[in-house]
Amino acid sequence: MGKHHRNLLNELAKLRMEKGLTQQALSESAEVSRKSINAIENGIYVPSTVLALKISKILECTVEDLFKLPK
């Protein structure tokens, strides 16, 4: 599964880069640390619902575009 958490697949890094945002820029917009964004991207941390919704709003996508359950 690579950098995905065993219970959650995520496309955060890909979608963040498509928007031209650094981890730092996204973290500031979402009001979390850059380390939190890095941990989510690396499958170490599963974000709260509130944080997932904030990130999806910033990246102008749905939560389902960002995060999926493994098949």
Side-chain angles (χ1 to χ4, degrees):
M1 282 196 205
K3 293 184 175 184
H4 300 299
H5 184 277
R6 63 183 170 86
N7 294 320
L8 188 68
L9 307 176
N10 82 68
E11 298 294 330
L12 177 54
K14 177 183 155 219
L15 294 171
R16 173 183 58 76
M17 288 187 267
E18 286 176 0
K19 290 290 184 180
L21 294 173
T22 62
Q23 287 181 345
Q24 185 65 39
L26 178 57
S27 71
E28 289 171 3
S29 294
E31 300 176 317
V32 296
S33 71
R34 185 202 58 79
K35 287 184 177 187
S36 293
I37 298 299
N38 182 269
I40 295 167
E41 288 184 0
N42 286 296
I44 297 165
Y45 173 67
V46 175
S48 69
T49 303
V50 172
L51 181 53
L53 289 166
K54 279 184 175 182
I55 292 170
S56 69
K57 185 174 182 178
I58 294 162
L59 296 179
E60 300 175 320
C61 64
T62 67
V63 172
E64 290 83 4
D65 291 333
L66 287 169
F67 306 105
K68 295 174 179 47
L69 296 173
K71 292 181 182 182

